[in-house]
Amino acid sequence: MIDMPEVRGKLTANRLLADLTWLRVGGPADWMFQPADTQDLADFLKALPASVSVFPMGVGSNLIVRDGGLRAVVVRLGRGFNDIKIDGNRVRAGAAALDAHVARKAGQAAVDLAFLRTIPGAVGGAVRMNAGCYGTYISDVFLEAKAVTRSGKIERLTAKDLNFRYRQTDLPDGWILTEAVFEGPLGNSNELEVRMDAQLAKRNMSQPTADRSAGSTFRNPAGFSSTGLADDAHDLKAWKLIDEAGMRGAQVGGAQMSEMHANFMINTGGATAADLENLGEEVRKRVFQISGIELEWEIKRVGFST
């Protein structure tokens, strides 16, 4: 095993990852590093041999770690990266700050980032995948971000650098986002709280929030998220294509496509990563047979199979 650089944070060998993902599956990572701060992260990456893979992991809300685990250093940001600071209508948030917390704190300051309230996960992942719902995306409110490169340099990133698109950006592999700055429209804090409460209630009625899931399993072929409005078009929505292919409720082992929302995959108890991924591939196959449309995974799958 490679000698690891000295750190001020926490470095753990052979760290099991299942308990860190919302789906509760996955084997071990060779190493997990939880840096004390940005400089600790930069020094570590600079000293780490270039041959060693690095995988940034947030709260595991949109992730399947395969049963064989990861031959990599998993970097997981914690307390040193979850500050939320507000100046006027600008919100600076650490990459480990939960999206829901950012929305709530911004709302208390009358800054409208309400769309983040129902998005699972943390700011780093939200920026990386241009998260969005109800017709608003990270790209609509993004000003800038900071990241540490694989070689340990601290870089400032603009929207042009990231090249935001539906559920993707051009953030290079191995780069780790440490913070982002958003600019939201000013509103009324009480009205924002009411709207966010309504969004939560709507989500809880339509999505299996009490189950172990990882959010939307597949991207919408339409290329945009649901707006939540009465005139929202459902053509080329992943859930509708899955429904039409007869795969709502389909199961492989302990993995199931939710009866409540066909585009949500859940661990009913005892599922392996292989169960989940095999179910997803079976859904993709069946949807293609019925509609001729090839669904793209929205859940990130990493690691090795057993």
Side-chain angles (χ1 to χ4, degrees), residues 4-303:
M4 288 289 109
E6 292 291 323
V7 299
R8 289 182 287 110
K10 184 178 180 182
L11 192 58
T12 308
N14 296 314
R15 175 62 162 89
L16 286 171
L17 300 177
D19 65 314
L20 300 178
T21 71
W22 284 26
L23 283 166
R24 294 295 188 265
V25 297
D30 286 347
W31 291 93
M32 172 172 282
F33 177 43
Q34 296 165 277
D37 51 36
T38 300
Q39 194 58 55
D40 191 29
L41 174 60
D43 292 343
F44 174 80
L45 291 175
K46 184 177 181 180
L48 188 70
S51 60
V52 179
S53 297
V54 172
F55 178 70
M57 181 177 177
V59 296
S61 60
N62 195 43
L63 180 68
I64 293 174
V65 176
R66 295 187 177 106
D67 300 308
L70 279 166
R71 306 288 76 78
V73 176
V74 169
V75 176
R76 194 165 193 256
L77 306 184
R79 291 182 181 177
F81 299 86
N82 63 0
D83 282 352
I84 303 169
K85 298 178 181 178
I86 300 172
D87 183 11
N89 67 333
R90 292 191 175 185
V91 179
R92 183 180 299 273
L98 296 178
D99 300 326
H101 290 179
V102 174
R104 289 170 57 194
K105 193 161 186 178
Q108 290 166 3
V111 180
D112 185 358
L113 296 178
F115 77 100
L116 288 172
R117 183 65 180 90
T118 57
I119 295 178
V123 164
V127 171
R128 176 181 284 272
M129 68 176 292
N130 192 22
C133 65
Y134 302 121
T136 304
Y137 299 85
I138 286 289
S139 56
D140 295 320
V141 298
F142 179 87
L143 282 183
E144 65 178 33
K146 285 185 181 179
V148 180
T149 71
R150 176 60 184 85
S151 60
K153 293 182 180 179
I154 300 172
E155 298 279 0
R156 175 180 171 272
L157 297 169
T158 65
K160 184 178 179 180
D161 294 327
L162 290 172
N163 188 23
F164 287 106
R165 302 177 303 287
Y166 174 62
R167 293 294 187 262
Q168 57 187 313
T169 62
D170 287 344
L171 186 71
D173 289 342
W175 287 37
I176 299 172
L177 291 162
T178 57
E179 69 171 30
V181 181
F182 307 120
E183 187 173 69
L186 290 173
N188 177 282
S189 58
N190 290 331
E191 291 175 359
L192 289 172
E193 183 178 5
V194 169
R195 194 203 314 166
M196 288 189 283
D197 286 346
Q199 289 173 353
L200 281 174
K202 184 174 182 178
R203 181 193 67 177
N204 292 339
M205 288 181 63
S206 61
Q207 298 177 8
T209 54
D211 295 319
R212 292 178 181 173
S213 82
S216 296
T217 305
F218 303 105
R219 297 174 181 172
N220 285 325
F224 55 86
S225 300
S226 297
T227 65
L229 301 176
D231 61 352
D232 189 13
H234 296 302
D235 294 339
L236 295 183
K237 294 292 179 67
W239 72 264
K240 189 169 188 289
L241 293 168
I242 294 167
D243 228 6
E244 290 173 345
M247 296 301 285
R248 181 186 291 266
Q251 285 191 261
V252 172
Q256 181 183 27
M257 301 309 294
S258 171
E259 293 278 7
M260 189 175 195
H261 192 303
N263 195 29
F264 276 63
M265 179 185 289
I266 61 176
N267 181 349
T268 63
T272 63
D275 289 341
L276 294 159
E277 192 163 16
N278 289 340
L279 174 58
E281 288 302 317
E282 188 61 33
V283 169
R284 293 180 71 239
K285 178 182 176 181
R286 184 63 178 159
V287 166
F288 185 76
Q289 289 173 342
I290 297 299
S291 67
I293 294 172
E294 191 168 350
L295 292 177
E296 295 181 18
W297 282 89
E298 183 166 318
I299 295 174
K300 189 174 183 67
R301 293 110 54 234
V302 298

